[in-house]
Amino acid sequence: MFKDVVSNIKKYGYSRESIKILEQDEIGVLKRYIDNLYSNSKTDIVMNGNVPAIANLLGNDANIDKLLEKIICNESVESILRAIIGKDYKLWQYSVRRTVKGDHGLALHQDSPGQFNISYLLTDNPDGHGATAILPMSHKLPRWASYMSWAGIYFCKPLLTVLSGKSGDIVFFLNRTWHARIYNKSVEAHDVLLIGFFPAGA
């Protein structure tokens, strides 16, 4: 599996996997904790790409930290990180993003040079409402592609792979790969952990 994941990331710019990391009851604990954060008026909630996000989950609750660390310290996850960005990679951000009904999505974009992300689904989202969508193999486009005026999601959606899935599914993707967020037509909110890394020296 390891070789297939690394090969997919290098070829397509991402890889969507069902690696068993957290048990469903552990995901439930994490989800309830995040629900409480969103309902607490003292929580620092920021608008990230037009949706509410909590920028840093680590360091607030020791039991929650253990669950969050379990994801990034998983043997398979660590092996994939080392293969893609080197052994001395740095954890940059551990955040949660919530897409809600009426979310109009986010146009195609790239993130910081050298960035590598993990998305970990906390809710079942089989139809991909408000989910990240990838333009496969676009990390191989030349640098001048960043100066292009990319069409909105409505026009480019047929070209995108929507990262739908079940709670506990994990996605690895190079942030150089052009990606967007699909609009949320459902009545439900969907949460995803976004874990950002950089290689040494970045």
Side-chain angles (χ1 to χ4, degrees), residues 22 50 52 56 66 83 91 117-118 121-122 135 157 162 171:
L22 297 182
N50 304 317
N56 199 345
K66 289 179 181 178
L91 174 64
N117 260 28
I118 288 176
L121 274 62
L122 293 177
L135 182 59
K157 188 177 178 181
V162 180
V171 178

Side-chain angles (χ1 to χ4, degrees), residues 104-179:
H104 295 294
L106 193 63
L108 276 171
H109 63 284
Q110 294 172 308
D111 296 314
S112 300
Q115 187 176 346
F116 184 69
N117 260 28
I118 288 176
S119 294
Y120 188 87
L121 274 62
L122 293 177
T123 52
D124 291 339
N125 192 0
D127 297 316
H129 291 293
T132 298
I134 297 282
L135 182 59
M137 302 180 72
S138 59
H139 63 301
K140 298 181 179 181
L141 291 172
R143 292 188 181 277
W144 54 256
S146 62
Y147 297 101
M148 294 176 63
S149 178
W150 290 95
I153 296 174
Y154 179 82
F155 298 101
C156 66
K157 188 177 178 181
L159 303 175
L160 302 178
T161 299
V162 180
L163 301 179
S164 56
K166 300 182 295 184
S167 63
D169 285 354
I170 190 168
V171 178
F172 304 89
F173 72 94
L174 298 165
N175 291 62
R176 179 182 171 87
T177 310
W178 286 89
H179 56 286

Side-chain angles (χ1 to χ4, degrees), residues 3-4 9 39 45-46 51 101 115 126 128 148 160 173 177 196:
K3 290 183 178 179
D4 291 338
I9 294 170
S39 62
I45 297 175
V46 298
V51 293
K101 179 183 178 181
Q115 187 176 346
M148 294 176 63
L160 302 178
F173 72 94
T177 310

Side-chain angles (χ1 to χ4, degrees), residues 5-108:
V5 174
V6 173
S7 176
N8 285 338
I9 294 170
K10 291 181 177 180
K11 182 176 181 179
Y12 299 108
Y14 78 100
S15 188
R16 174 171 41 188
E17 304 298 327
S18 294
I19 301 173
K20 184 73 170 179
I21 301 177
L22 297 182
E23 301 294 336
Q24 283 301 312
D25 61 331
E26 293 177 316
I27 294 175
V29 169
L30 193 52
K31 185 69 171 65
R32 287 190 293 274
Y33 174 76
I34 289 169
D35 285 341
N36 289 334
L37 287 180
Y38 272 107
S39 62
N40 189 335
S41 60
K42 295 182 179 180
T43 302
D44 185 16
I45 297 175
V46 298
M47 296 306 291
N48 181 0
N50 304 317
V51 293
I54 300 172
N56 199 345
L57 293 174
L58 288 170
N60 301 308
D61 184 293
N63 292 325
I64 296 300
D65 283 352
K66 289 179 181 178
L67 296 179
L68 298 175
E69 290 173 3
K70 189 174 178 179
I71 297 173
I72 60 175
C73 294
N74 175 270
E75 183 178 352
S76 296
V77 171
E78 286 189 324
S79 296
I80 292 164
L81 287 169
R82 286 193 297 267
I84 299 297
I85 53 177
K87 65 178 182 178
D88 295 321
Y89 57 84
K90 299 177 287 186
L91 174 64
W92 172 63
Q93 191 176 54
Y94 213 131
S95 62
V96 60
R97 182 189 71 200
R98 171 168 287 183
T99 178
V100 296
K101 179 183 178 181
D103 171 15
H104 295 294
L106 193 63
L108 276 171

